[in-house]
Amino acid sequence: MSNQEKFDQLSKKQLIKMADLMSDAFITHENWTYLIPNQNKRKKALYHNFLLIYKVINRYGYIFEVDSDGDTIGYITFMDSKDKFQISLYRVLRTGGLLSFFKFLFALKYNELKGIFQYMNVYNQYHKHDTKGFIHLYMVGIKAEYQGQGYMSNAFKQCTNILKDEGFTDVMLETSDSTNIPIYKTMGFTLKEFMSSKSNKQTIYFFEREL
C-alpha cells in the first residue's frame, strides 16, 4: 500500500492513465448509468470529462495516488472549498482541457446534456453555503479487483494527516450513487442534506466530517 507524505503532481501521460482508470471505476455509477444508458458511450464521455477535470485538479487541487506493489490502483482528489473558481471553464482553458471539453459535449445527446445541467444546478445550490476550513473530496476511485481490501480507507487516513498539516479542519463530499452512503458513514462522514433534481430522478447526498 502507498505510504505518501504529500500529494502528487502528475505528468500528461499519468493524467491520461488516471482518466482511463477512473472512467472504468465510475462506469456503473448510478447517476452516470441513468444519464448515459449506453455503456460504450458512457465510457467515452466519462474519460473526456474526467481528463479535463483532472488537468484542473492537478494544477489547482490535490491528487493522491493509491498504490499496491508499485502499481497505481486508484486515486483520491481534493479541491479547497473556498477556492471560488473550482472546475471552471476558465481553468479548463488554462490547463489545456478545451479539446476534451468539446469531445465530452459531442459524445452526448441533448437529453443527456440536459440531465447533467439539472444535476449541476442542484450541486451548485448546496455549495453556496460557507465552507471555510473545508477541503472538498472530489472523486475517489479504485480498480475493481482491489475494492473491499482496505486500500482506500488507509489512503484516506494518509490524506487526512497531510490535509491537517495544510491547515484544513473538515472535509466535505457528495455522491449521487446511493450504494456509497454506507461506505461514507463507515468512514465517519455525517449526511448533512440530500437534494433532488427537477426531474426527481437524480438525488445528491452531501456529507461532512472533521479531519
Side-chain angles (χ1 to χ4, degrees):
M1 295 186 186
S2 58
N3 185 24
Q4 297 175 213
E5 297 180 355
K6 62 183 181 65
F7 291 95
D8 299 301
Q9 191 77 21
L10 304 186
S11 66
K12 181 179 179 180
K13 185 177 180 179
Q14 287 174 312
L15 286 170
I16 290 172
K17 177 183 177 181
M18 180 180 180
D20 186 52
L21 188 155
M22 294 292 275
S23 56
D24 284 340
F26 276 76
I27 198 71
T28 58
H29 189 282
E30 282 183 0
N31 186 49
W32 286 108
T33 55
Y34 161 71
L35 289 171
I36 312 174
N38 182 280
Q39 182 168 311
N40 291 332
K41 189 176 179 182
R42 190 186 321 135
K43 165 67 179 180
K44 181 179 179 181
L46 283 171
Y47 171 80
H48 291 301
N49 184 42
F50 288 173
L51 184 57
L52 70 89
I53 288 174
Y54 298 146
K55 284 181 177 180
V56 173
I57 296 177
N58 193 44
R59 182 179 297 184
Y60 298 102
Y62 305 87
I63 295 176
F64 190 93
E65 292 182 285
V66 183
D67 300 325
S68 176
D69 298 324
D71 181 36
T72 301
I73 61 171
Y75 301 89
I76 307 176
T77 62
F78 300 89
M79 291 281 284
D80 188 340
S81 292
K82 72 175 184 293
D83 179 353
K84 64 180 180 179
F85 291 105
Q86 297 293 313
I87 312 293
S88 60
L89 181 58
Y90 168 75
R91 283 186 168 171
V92 170
L93 292 171
R94 287 289 300 270
T95 54
L98 187 60
L99 180 60
S100 292
F101 175 72
F102 282 118
K103 285 184 176 181
F104 171 66
L105 291 181
F106 291 140
L108 303 175
K109 296 179 181 177
Y110 171 77
N111 285 338
E112 294 166 343
L113 280 172
K114 184 179 178 180
I116 290 172
F117 286 128
Q118 288 181 351
Y119 174 94
M120 291 308 301
N121 284 335
V122 175
Y123 173 91
N124 290 328
Q125 285 178 37
Y126 181 81
H127 283 288
K128 288 180 180 178
H129 77 292
D130 183 27
T131 54
K132 184 178 180 181
F134 278 77
I135 189 75
H136 182 187
L137 175 58
Y138 252 80
M139 293 184 195
V140 176
I142 191 170
K143 291 181 178 180
E145 60 267 32
Y146 292 95
Q147 292 177 2
Q149 299 180 41
Y151 285 96
M152 295 307 288
S153 59
N154 284 323
F156 183 74
K157 289 176 183 177
Q158 293 179 49
C159 289
T160 58
N161 291 331
I162 302 170
L163 292 167
K164 284 180 182 178
D165 292 339
E166 294 276 340
F168 295 102
T169 58
D170 300 86
V171 59
M172 61 190 300
L173 63 85
E174 66 283 327
T175 182
S176 51
D177 190 331
S178 60
T179 61
N180 289 330
I181 294 175
I183 298 173
Y184 291 132
K185 287 185 175 180
T186 300
M187 294 172 65
F189 283 90
T190 300
L191 179 63
K192 305 298 288 187
E193 191 173 352
F194 60 91
M195 303 169 67
S196 295
S197 64
K198 187 177 181 180
S199 66
N200 286 320
K201 293 183 178 180
Q202 299 163 284
T203 300
I204 309 179
Y205 304 88
F206 298 94
F207 289 84
E208 296 177 5
R209 60 155 280 185
E210 292 183 0
L211 285 175

